[in-house]
Amino acid sequence: MLFRSPISTDQHARFRSANWHTIDIDGHNPDEVAAAIEEAQKSDKPTMIACKTTIGYGAPKKAGTNKAHGSPLGDEEIAETRKALGWEYAPFELPEDILDAWRVAGLRSTKARVEWDERLNGTKAEIKAEFNRRFAGELPGSFDRTVQKYKQKLADEKPTLASRKSSQNALEVINGAIPETLGGSADLTGSNNTDTSQTPSITPDDFSGRFLHWGIREHAMAAAMNGIALHGGLIPYSGGFLIFSDYCRTSVRLAAIMGIRVIHVWTHDSIGVGEDGPTHEPVEQMASLRAIPGLLMFRPADAMETAECWQLALESQHAPSGIALTRQNLPAVRLDYSEKNLCATGAYDLIPANEAEVTIFASGSEVGLAVEAQKMLDGKGITTRVVSVPCMELFFEQPEDYQKAIIGNSPIKVGVEAAIRMGWDTFIGNDGIFIGMNGYGASGKGPDLFKHFGITAEAVVEAVENKRA
């Protein structure tokens, strides 16, 4: 139902243009409300019921004014409203006829639930077990073995890929192993790489697919994903550009409040976007999303980390996730197979070193840059370790001893991320070196922009040497 505000938009025309059925009623008339609901139930289209109402209806002085919305009515106005509405009952007292109607509805629903349980129990055992697994939010028992096999393949091949492509490759494995994933994209499928061989499109004539083309509707997409997750039985994921995550923010925040599993794939995650320029190059979005309590924000460094981050997002039954991915190719930095999901701790030693004079912390595409800088510094006799930080939120959930060990006591700490500094002082301290962005991007080829903004291995080495001087 749509309770109309005094606006000039013709909501009926707007909804009818989207092939909805619309009904116009007096929202204060119970008979009209009941009739409209019955009419909607008979329609083969979604229905918008526009209820014409008066805010504060019945209040003699405040009805139809903003005072009925923004402040209490007050005892005198409440008493007069009761008289105007003919309501003679005390506060929190419900008339017996209303209570009886609700109790009858409850009995009807109880009977319907018993009949539903009987149908479920009469289903074949394997179908019932699969149904119960999906609605319990549990992943298939074979999923971890599938991931381990895929990680072994990545360790053997060591691919150089854009992490958006690494994500698609991981999804090819995931969607084959987890039949309840439901993919989609906001008109950016070819850029987000969220489709796989197992995800034919859902169309107006065929709902058997596993991929929704949302169009340029990021906000609606994120909101609908929340509804799908709350219904249960499906794991929704979708694609968009990281810069457009701002359109999704209210629904992402609600997902975090509700603690539901929705997964947002946000690609084109930095100035590496290139020629699209500053309007499409996110710089503050990672910090902004990390600020949402309860949201897991991943930024993997290569194909191995991308697979692990996807595994963690899927296993996080009671938290939404965002996965920030690159447009540009990334070298493999995780070269060996590990049965353990190293990304699960949020930050870990990628290149350890005893009594390191320098520790470089980095995420995503800048981890490869950190590895280059480490080699250059080691060549100069400056002992350096590298810590990959794929998920700050998971790191902050670790025991204090682990956090202290990862942050370490190197006299020189460097944070590297093609984004703003906010959030990195936890790792590097107020006096640490940060190599990143402090303003907006520019239009140009991605590699040229990294050089232009000083986000290079050479810049890290120079900053370290200046700090030591």
Side-chain angles (χ1 to χ4, degrees), residues 260-300:
I260 55 177
R261 178 172 48 195
V262 294
I263 303 171
H264 293 270
V265 176
W266 286 313
T267 67
H268 295 61
D269 69 343
S270 74
I271 56 172
V273 170
E275 287 86 346
D276 283 347
T279 59
H280 282 58
E281 293 167 357
V283 292
E284 77 277 21
Q285 274 67 29
M286 284 300 299
S288 175
L289 290 163
R290 285 168 177 156
I292 298 177
L295 171 67
L296 298 178
M297 197 60 214
F298 297 98
R299 192 166 184 253

Side-chain angles (χ1 to χ4, degrees), residues 111-410:
K111 181 175 181 293
R113 175 59 192 242
V114 169
E115 293 172 349
W116 182 88
D117 282 336
E118 290 174 351
R119 291 196 300 275
L120 179 62
N121 290 330
T123 304
K124 291 181 179 179
E126 61 271 21
I127 295 176
K128 178 183 175 182
E130 179 68 3
F131 180 90
N132 287 335
R133 178 191 69 75
R134 295 191 193 186
F135 274 87
E138 299 171 356
L139 300 178
S142 61
F143 179 59
D144 185 67
R145 292 193 300 274
T146 300
V147 172
Q148 296 303 331
K149 183 178 179 180
Y150 180 59
K151 286 172 61 176
Q152 288 175 331
K153 178 175 181 286
L154 292 175
D156 291 339
E157 296 179 356
K158 300 176 177 56
T160 294
L161 294 170
S163 55
R164 60 173 175 159
K165 182 61 180 175
S166 294
S167 172
Q168 186 177 44
N169 291 346
L171 278 170
E172 183 69 28
V173 174
I174 290 163
N175 288 337
I178 306 176
E180 63 267 29
T181 53
L182 179 67
S185 177
D187 201 42
L188 292 168
T189 304
S191 295
N192 302 144
N193 296 348
T194 45
D195 59 333
T196 66
S197 65
Q198 306 92 345
T199 57
S201 299
I202 294 171
T203 71
D205 302 317
D206 185 358
F207 281 75
S208 65
R210 289 172 61 186
F211 196 90
L212 282 160
H213 297 274
W214 295 100
I216 309 172
R217 301 182 182 94
E218 287 88 351
H219 171 67
M221 175 179 71
M225 287 169 64
N226 286 354
I228 292 167
L230 287 167
H231 175 274
L234 295 170
I235 302 174
Y237 72 87
S238 71
F241 285 176
L242 182 58
I243 195 69
F244 299 145
S245 63
D246 289 344
Y247 298 136
C248 306
R249 187 177 184 84
T250 51
S251 291
V252 172
R253 185 173 185 271
L254 284 172
I257 289 172
M258 294 184 287
I260 55 177
R261 178 172 48 195
V262 294
I263 303 171
H264 293 270
V265 176
W266 286 313
T267 67
H268 295 61
D269 69 343
S270 74
I271 56 172
V273 170
E275 287 86 346
D276 283 347
T279 59
H280 282 58
E281 293 167 357
V283 292
E284 77 277 21
Q285 274 67 29
M286 284 300 299
S288 175
L289 290 163
R290 285 168 177 156
I292 298 177
L295 171 67
L296 298 178
M297 197 60 214
F298 297 98
R299 192 166 184 253
D302 66 358
M304 186 75 77
E305 281 200 356
T306 301
E308 290 189 344
C309 289
W310 262 110
Q311 181 182 17
L312 293 166
L314 288 161
E315 291 176 348
S316 299
Q317 186 177 344
H318 301 293
S321 299
I323 307 178
L325 303 168
T326 67
R327 179 188 186 186
Q328 71 273 25
N329 284 342
L330 304 179
V333 295
R334 283 273 300 279
L335 305 179
D336 299 317
Y337 167 73
S338 169
E339 182 178 358
K340 182 180 179 182
N341 187 321
L342 300 184
C343 291
T345 57
Y348 64 94
D349 269 321
L350 179 66
I351 301 178
N354 293 324
E355 299 182 4
E357 183 180 353
V358 178
T359 297
I360 305 174
F361 302 88
S363 81
S365 51
E366 288 68 70
V367 175
L369 180 157
V371 171
E372 287 183 44
Q374 185 270 340
K375 293 176 182 177
M376 295 167 67
L377 289 167
D378 264 20
K380 293 173 177 284
I382 304 171
T383 306
T384 303
R385 65 191 272 258
V386 175
V387 174
S388 179
V389 188
C391 183
M392 289 189 181
E393 296 77 27
L394 290 179
F395 176 71
F396 297 141
E397 292 179 5
Q398 303 310 306
E400 185 177 352
D401 288 347
Y402 180 84
Q403 293 186 41
K404 288 181 177 179
I406 289 297
I407 292 172
N409 54 11
S410 296

